[in-house]
Amino acid sequence: MKNKKQNIQPVVVATFATEIDMAHVRNKLESFGIETFTQHENIAALREFTSSAYNGVKLLVLPKDYEQAMNYLIEIGHYKAKDFEPNWLEKFLNKLFG
């Protein structure tokens, strides 16, 4: 999925179990002036048949809006700031390999 105007690839900011959960956050981001895109929103209706093959409804934004969108997702509790800190394995590998 590319933005036709600028040929820029949107990036995923969140994945939701249902379209309703995604729509709530999407509406808020758009009220802040952040253009959003979705993936797999129609597949959610077929959940029983697709199981977890599609891995949820994805909410995407343009790269220029990524930081603002992520800050909002942290603010509402969808993510925690510590979710972005390196875990023990990442720390170990960074120490080992620099």
Side-chain angles (χ1 to χ4, degrees), residues 23-81:
H24 174 73
V25 174
R26 180 183 194 179
N27 291 338
K28 191 65 172 178
L29 289 175
E30 289 184 349
S31 76
F32 291 145
I34 298 174
E35 185 177 9
T36 63
F37 308 90
T38 61
Q39 283 183 334
H40 307 301
E41 69 274 14
N42 296 325
I43 295 176
L46 302 172
R47 189 174 327 137
E48 290 181 35
F49 305 109
T50 59
S51 74
S52 61
Y54 71 96
N55 293 323
V57 181
K58 298 186 183 330
L59 183 63
L60 301 90
V61 299
L62 295 175
K64 69 180 182 65
D65 296 322
Y66 180 81
E67 187 174 341
Q68 183 182 359
M70 293 304 286
N71 285 335
Y72 172 71
L73 290 168
I74 290 170
E75 183 180 311
I76 66 167
H78 185 76
Y79 294 121
K80 293 179 178 57

